[in-house]
Amino acid sequence: MIGKAGLILLMLWGCTLCGSQTSMQKSPQGTLDFGFVPSGVYETHAYFEPGPIGILFHMVHAFLHVVQPNPFPHDLVTKLAQQKLREVKQDYQKPENIVLTLQAIYYEIGFIVCASLGVLFVLFMPLVGLCFCMCRCCDNCGGEMHQRQKKNADCRRGCFVTLLFVTSLIISAGVLCAYSANQNLSTQLKGVRKLVNSNFRDLKTFVNDTPAQIDYLANQYNTAKYKVISDLDNIGPLLGSRICAQLGKEIIPALDGALSLAGAMRETKEALENMSVSREVLQEATNSLQVNLINEQVRLSNTLNDPACSAPGVSSTCSDIRRTLSQLSINANYSALPNVDTELANVKNVLKTDLSNIVQKGYSTFNDTPDLIKNQTKNIVADIKSILDDIGSNITSFSKQIPLQDTLANFTLYLSQSQSYVEDYYPVIDQYDFYRWMGCIIVCCMVVLIIAFNFLGLLCGTCGYDKHASPTTRGCISNTGGNLLMAGVGFSFMFSWVLMIIVMITFIVGGNVEKLVCEPFESRALFKVLDTPYLINPYWKNFLPGFLYQNPEIDLTFEKLYSNCKENKGIYTALQLDNIFNISEYLNTSMYTKDVVDVFEFVNVDLSDMVLLDANAKQNLLNFTNTGIVSINYEAYLAELNKGVTKVDLLSFANDLEDQADKLPKGALENALKGHASSIRFIHGQQVVPLEQAMSTLSQSVRLLQRTTSDLPNKVNNVIGALDAAQRLINSNGSLIIAQETEKYMEMMIGYFKQYIDWVKNSIIMEVAACKPIANVVDTVEILTCSFVADSLNTFWFGLGCCTVFLIPSIIISVKLAKFFRRMDSEDVYDDIETIPMKTMEIGNNGYHNERLHGIPNPVMTSIPSYDTMTRFPRASAPPRQAEWGD
């Protein structure tokens, strides 16, 4: 069975599922490092930064938001998609269809209004141009070559020049915007090949890396295997230390107590020896001191009996000294202290048995438990290693049985064919892009031609204008400027409606693509439409799982697939392959762990030979309590030791004696007393000080023995009881403790395989066949559609529409301004008593100059025609009133 062969790789993990919850306590274990799953580096960076032209893109987006501020009509699009076109055509009068139509109109109202204005522009602009031309041919609408002179003519001309210049600048900005969008689209389309090829390379990397990743997962089994083998080779220290830790909770304190008593025995012997020696030393020293003090007392008494002490003023001092002579004697009597030789002999007899060595053997026997376990589990370790080798072989064979290579080879072939198919269309794309680019350039040239006429007209008209020249005598340059402006007007009428058609078509297409495709894609609303239940297939709740797995009930949506791939998760997670290939079931190996459990059941360490303390050693402890050290009268020792060596401090006595001698007259008595004081100090230094040191040593030994013997029988009984309890633990419960610790040890090794399994699961879910290239393909399509094409297209119509709309004020201003630049056939001239004398002018009744009035030629106005101006210019039959000069 393939499944069985594959599942055996995790046979140790199932042990964690076999026992009860109480046996699932995790033991401390090391963390295995399986490294990182090898993954290729994907080239595609599905992110587009437009650069400086992004400002224009944002302006267009803002304008579209004003035109269409409504949110994405999810419900409307869903309902329209669910309706079949045939049903809509046949049953358009149904109430629900009428409601959908009204909802669509409401959503598109902004585009409809703008498109309606564009249609009116297209219809009326040629008509208005035709009427304007016919009107000018009839010398109306500014077509008459006559200019009425007004007082504010210069102001009006300057205003028209400024307005036309500003309008032309705006049109220029618009055509630059359109040209930039056109060039940007061509530039971006040149990078399409690189972007698409990088996506194909990423997909191939995705396909080629998957087998290597699976092999890596299989090979990392060795990491867990080698760790288990290492622990098996160290089963003595690992399992033995666990068993020792449990048994040692009672064994170590018991042995420590026995070892402490063994040390106490040695200390007791030393203390008794010190007591015996110190007692004898003190007795001899005190006897010698007593003799010396008596001799000194006799000599001092003889000195005080000298006749010199009878002298007046001296006798009182001698009497005082004589009264203190009785203090020169010893104070302690060490000869009355009991002898400890018997107790010392008993202790030495007990110490003939080396209890410390016996206890150390107990320690050694206990500490040899790891070696004992290692020796008794050799066969079991060999069996488990053989099982591990079989698991490794099964893992390799199972990974080879997966038909992955054929599937990936077919997919690689499909990618290569798809790439070749796409590359075949690159020349076609370049060719059609050239046609599109050329068409856009021609359209921009139309606007540029009009702008050129405007700017040339402004240049010639402004530079050639002579304010001293009359309308009929304007120069050639000025007249040319006016003619150029009128030419711009003519081309504006010719091209504007064509431009508006282009703007209207691109506006409707590009605007709706932006609002219905690009913005919903960015907000993920487009995915929600695709994920609408029963939308694409009326019988499938979810189309994607129905198409892939024939199970439309699986909760797999386009949005989840895209989001998971965007986060570079594994294809297993993205496509929810657990619905057809549940890895948890394949990695559940509890049914295959019986062999491993049976092997560990044979672990049976025999500790029956472990003896902590034999009967002789225990009897030795009891004999120690019967040595008589408990009944020694330690209080009598301490009482004598607490007494001073002498009744009086000899140094103080010597000092007082010298002080008394100083009170005496200088002479032999004084010197004799001071000699006695020196002798007393000598006695103190030579006998009292060593005696005090011996007393201190005896005091320490006595107090040590007193502490040791305090409740000694109970202490010994407690140690023996603890040793008996530890021995019963080894003999009775040792096998249970060994079984428990063996199970924990087994769980520790199983934990390594569980780490491997968890790592495999996580790697398959997150790292193996990471589907970032799939999300990159979708993002690339969005970049091509929205960032490259839609944004450039929208920016093109935005700039071209700006140009087209501003052609209207350009036409009006150009017609008005041309009057100020073109040379007129006639002009208005009226009497002005301040500037033109009547005697120098011949003025007709109609106010116009006539060059041949009454047959007399007028050399000044020879350019004015001689025919009747009343017939030619009936509206100028009378001069304007003073109030009309400002009009």
Side-chain angles (χ1 to χ4, degrees):
M1 293 174 59
I2 295 177
K4 182 175 181 180
L7 292 175
I8 201 169
L9 70 94
L10 302 171
M11 59 190 308
L12 294 179
W13 179 39
C15 292
T16 59
L17 303 176
C18 296
S20 62
Q21 292 295 332
T22 57
S23 65
M24 293 293 293
Q25 298 176 355
K26 293 183 179 180
S27 58
Q29 61 186 54
T31 300
L32 300 180
D33 182 11
F34 298 102
F36 297 96
V37 178
S39 60
V41 178
Y42 297 136
E43 301 178 20
T44 304
H45 298 283
Y47 175 76
F48 176 69
E49 182 61 42
I53 201 173
I55 299 174
L56 298 178
F57 292 168
H58 289 304
M59 292 174 60
V60 175
H61 293 166
F63 177 78
L64 287 175
H65 181 72
V66 174
V67 174
Q68 176 55 279
N70 299 320
F72 180 72
H74 176 271
D75 296 336
L76 176 61
V77 173
T78 302
K79 292 179 181 178
L80 289 176
Q82 288 175 340
Q83 293 287 345
K84 295 182 180 179
L85 294 178
R86 183 176 64 257
E87 294 178 356
V88 174
K89 292 179 179 178
Q90 294 177 354
D91 302 327
Y92 63 91
Q93 293 182 347
K94 286 185 177 181
E96 57 271 18
N97 292 334
I98 295 175
V99 171
L100 291 177
T101 303
L102 293 177
Q103 289 178 347
I105 292 174
Y106 175 76
Y107 176 78
E108 294 284 340
I109 189 65
F111 289 100
I112 294 174
V113 171
C114 293
S116 300
L117 295 176
V119 171
L120 293 177
F121 187 95
V122 172
L123 294 176
F124 282 100
M125 202 63 182
L127 182 61
V128 171
L130 180 61
C131 295
F132 180 75
C133 292
M134 295 176 62
C135 182
R136 287 184 67 86
C137 289
C138 297
D139 293 332
N140 293 317
C141 304
E144 58 184 356
M145 299 302 292
H146 172 78
Q147 184 177 18
R148 293 178 180 272
Q149 295 192 49
K150 296 183 179 181
K151 190 175 182 179
N152 60 347
D154 290 339
C155 180
R156 295 179 65 193
R157 178 181 56 80
C159 181
F160 288 146
V161 168
T162 303
L163 291 176
L164 183 59
F165 181 75
V166 173
T167 303
S168 299
L169 286 180
I170 295 175
I171 297 174
S172 300
V175 74
L176 286 176
C177 177
Y179 177 78
S180 299
N182 182 42
Q183 290 297 117
N184 179 72
L185 180 56
S186 297
T187 302
Q188 299 301 338
L189 288 179
K190 291 179 181 178
V192 168
R193 180 175 302 181
K194 178 180 179 182
L195 186 60
V196 172
N197 288 341
S198 69
N199 275 275
F200 276 111
R201 286 194 295 271
D202 288 348
L203 289 173
K204 290 180 181 179
T205 301
F206 164 76
V207 172
N208 294 332
D209 285 349
T210 301
Q213 291 174 336
I214 293 177
D215 291 341
Y216 182 82
L217 295 183
N219 293 334
Q220 285 305 305
Y221 162 77
N222 292 328
T223 300
K225 172 186 172 182
Y226 294 149
K227 180 61 178 175
V228 172
I229 291 176
S230 175
D231 286 354
L232 289 174
D233 292 337
N234 293 284
I235 189 172
L238 293 176
L239 180 57
S241 61
R242 291 173 177 272
I243 295 174
C244 288
Q246 294 298 323
L247 295 176
K249 294 178 181 179
E250 294 191 22
I251 293 177
I252 295 300
L255 291 177
D256 289 343
L259 188 63
S260 176
L261 286 178
M265 290 180 183
R266 291 191 299 272
E267 293 176 353
T268 301
K269 170 181 169 292
E270 294 173 358
L272 288 174
E273 288 176 345
N274 290 335
M275 284 182 64
S276 178
V277 173
S278 298
R279 174 176 170 277
E280 293 178 359
V281 169
L282 288 175
Q283 286 180 354
E284 293 178 359
T286 52
N287 292 334
S288 175
L289 177 62
Q290 179 66 22
V291 171
N292 291 333
L293 289 177
I294 291 173
N295 293 334
E296 186 63 31
Q297 182 180 5
V298 171
R299 288 193 295 272
L300 183 57
S301 177
N302 294 332
T303 301
L304 293 175
N305 292 328
D306 189 90
C309 286
S310 303
V314 177
S315 59
S316 61
T317 301
C318 291
S319 298
D320 293 338
I321 296 173
R322 193 176 291 110
R323 283 193 294 270
T324 62
L325 290 179
S326 60
Q327 297 177 355
L328 290 176
S329 62
I330 61 173
N331 190 33
N333 183 14
Y334 297 107
S335 60
L337 293 177
N339 193 346
V340 294
D341 292 340
T342 303
E343 290 81 359
L344 177 59
N346 294 334
V347 170
K348 288 181 178 180
N349 187 44
V350 171
L351 287 176
K352 290 180 180 179
T353 301
D354 192 353
L355 183 62
S356 297
N357 186 35
I358 296 174
V359 174
Q360 291 297 337
K361 289 181 180 180
Y363 276 118
S364 178
T365 302
F366 177 70
N367 292 331
D368 287 341
T369 302
D371 294 336
L372 181 65
I373 292 174
K374 182 177 181 179
N375 294 330
Q376 295 185 10
T377 56
K378 288 182 178 179
N379 296 332
I380 294 174
V381 170
D383 293 341
I384 296 177
K385 288 182 178 180
S386 177
I387 293 175
L388 294 178
D389 293 335
D390 294 339
I391 293 174
S393 301
N394 291 329
I395 290 174
T396 303
S397 61
F398 175 69
S399 62
K400 299 299 182 183
Q401 294 178 13
I402 300 176
L404 186 64
Q405 296 294 338
D406 295 337
T407 303
L408 295 180
N410 295 333
F411 187 68
T412 303
L413 179 62
Y414 173 76
L415 287 178
S416 300
Q417 294 175 349
S418 301
Q419 186 174 8
S420 300
Y421 178 79
V422 172
E423 289 178 349
D424 292 339
Y425 274 89
Y426 286 148
V428 179
I429 294 174
D430 294 338
Q431 182 180 5
Y432 280 99
D433 178 63
F434 175 76
Y435 295 153
R436 178 206 57 77
W437 178 85
M438 185 59 68
C440 293
I441 291 296
I442 294 173
V443 171
C444 291
C445 288
M446 294 180 183
V447 182
V448 171
L449 181 62
I450 298 172
I451 297 173
F453 281 128
N454 285 352
F455 281 117
L456 289 175
L458 288 173
L459 180 62
C460 294
T462 303
C463 295
Y465 181 77
D466 184 3
K467 65 179 180 179
H468 297 293
S470 64
T472 58
T473 60
R474 289 174 181 152
C476 179
I477 297 177
S478 177
N479 186 57
T480 301
N483 291 334
L484 289 173
L485 292 177
M486 292 309 298
V489 172
F491 281 112
S492 296
F493 279 115
M494 291 173 59
F495 296 153
S496 59
W497 65 278
V498 178
L499 297 176
M500 183 53 71
I501 291 176
I502 297 174
V503 170
M504 186 170 57
I505 294 174
T506 54
F507 166 71
I508 293 175
V509 175
N512 279 286
V513 169
E514 175 66 28
K515 301 299 291 187
L516 295 177
V517 177
C518 298
E519 289 185 2
F521 178 84
E522 184 176 358
S523 63
R524 307 288 176 90
L526 194 61
F527 290 109
K528 295 180 180 179
V529 174
L530 295 176
D531 294 330
T532 301
Y534 310 106
L535 175 65
I536 302 176
N537 190 315
Y539 301 103
W540 289 351
K541 179 180 179 181
N542 296 309
F543 173 77
L544 193 58
F547 177 75
L548 294 176
Y549 314 132
Q550 287 72 48
N551 186 1
E553 299 300 322
I554 298 175
D555 187 21
L556 175 61
T557 62
F558 288 99
E559 182 179 8
K560 289 183 178 179
L561 175 61
Y562 174 77
S563 298
N564 288 329
C565 290
K566 189 74 173 177
E567 297 174 3
N568 202 26
K569 293 183 179 180
I571 197 70
Y572 182 86
T573 301
L575 291 179
Q576 297 185 13
L577 294 176
D578 55 324
N579 291 284
I580 61 171
F581 185 83
N582 193 340
I583 191 173
S584 297
E585 295 180 359
Y586 279 82
L587 297 180
N588 184 1
T589 59
S590 59
M591 64 184 68
Y592 299 100
T593 58
K594 185 177 183 301
D595 293 338
V596 177
V597 175
D598 292 342
V599 169
F600 274 101
E601 286 180 353
F602 286 103
V603 176
N604 185 15
V605 180
D606 186 10
L607 301 179
S608 59
D609 294 336
M610 182 183 295
V611 178
L612 301 180
L613 205 66
D614 56 17
N616 293 331
K618 295 177 183 178
Q619 184 61 43
N620 186 260
L621 289 175
L622 294 174
N623 292 337
F624 179 59
T625 61
N626 298 324
T627 56
I629 58 176
V630 178
S631 59
I632 294 175
N633 189 0
Y634 298 107
E635 297 299 331
Y637 275 88
L638 293 176
E640 290 299 325
L641 291 173
N642 288 333
K643 296 178 181 180
V645 178
T646 57
K647 294 181 178 180
V648 67
D649 184 12
L650 295 183
L651 292 178
S652 299
F653 185 88
N655 292 333
D656 291 341
L657 184 60
E658 283 188 350
D659 292 339
Q660 294 291 342
D662 290 337
K663 297 178 181 180
L664 297 176
K666 301 295 182 179
L669 183 59
E670 176 189 9
N671 294 332
L673 292 176
K674 289 184 177 181
H676 290 299
S678 298
S679 298
I680 293 173
R681 288 194 185 95
F682 179 80
I683 294 173
H684 179 272
Q686 293 297 319
Q687 291 185 282
V688 174
V689 171
L691 193 60
E692 289 178 347
Q693 294 175 352
M695 292 172 62
S696 175
T697 301
L698 179 59
S699 176
Q700 293 176 1
S701 299
V702 171
R703 294 184 186 278
L704 174 61
L705 288 172
Q706 191 178 31
R707 288 194 302 271
T708 302
T709 58
S710 176
D711 201 22
L712 180 61
N714 290 333
K715 293 179 181 178
V716 172
N717 292 331
N718 291 337
V719 170
I720 294 175
L723 289 170
D724 292 340
Q727 192 66 50
R728 285 195 299 273
L729 175 65
I730 295 172
N731 297 334
S732 302
N733 298 329
S735 58
L736 177 61
I737 293 176
I738 291 173
Q740 292 175 348
E741 296 304 320
T742 301
E743 183 178 359
K744 292 179 181 179
Y745 173 78
M746 178 183 64
E747 290 178 1
M748 182 185 71
M749 289 195 298
I750 292 173
Y752 297 137
F753 284 92
K754 186 176 186 303
Q755 289 184 50
Y756 172 68
I757 293 171
D758 293 340
W759 175 76
V760 169
K761 286 182 179 180
N762 185 68
S763 298
I764 292 176
I765 292 173
M766 299 299 298
E767 299 182 58
V768 175
C771 60
K772 180 70 172 180
I774 297 177
N776 287 341
V777 170
V778 178
D779 291 337
T780 299
V781 173
E782 186 270 338
I783 290 174
L784 295 177
T785 304
C786 299
S787 299
F788 288 1
V789 178
D791 284 343
S792 298
L793 180 64
N794 290 331
T795 305
F796 179 79
W797 64 251
F798 181 75
L800 194 63
C802 178
C803 298
T804 306
V805 170
F806 277 90
L807 286 179
I808 297 177
S810 174
I811 292 172
I812 297 172
I813 298 171
S814 296
V815 172
K816 291 285 188 180
L817 185 58
K819 274 282 190 176
F820 293 92
F821 292 157
R822 299 179 69 190
R823 186 185 299 122
M824 300 288 104
D825 292 337
S826 62
E827 63 179 18
D828 290 338
V829 179
Y830 304 101
D831 293 337
D832 192 339
I833 59 175
E834 296 180 358
T835 60
I836 305 176
M838 291 296 294
K839 294 181 180 181
T840 63
M841 290 290 188
E842 295 291 343
I843 303 176
N845 292 331
N846 56 7
Y848 292 108
H849 283 282
N850 195 330
E851 61 182 358
R852 295 190 181 275
L853 185 60
H854 302 295
I856 302 174
N858 189 341
V860 179
M861 298 298 292
T862 56
S863 64
I864 300 178
S866 59
Y867 46 80
D868 187 4
T869 57
M870 286 294 293
T871 304
R872 183 69 174 168
F873 306 109
R875 291 173 297 168
S877 59
R881 293 185 296 274
Q882 184 69 26
E884 296 176 353
W885 279 54
D887 296 339

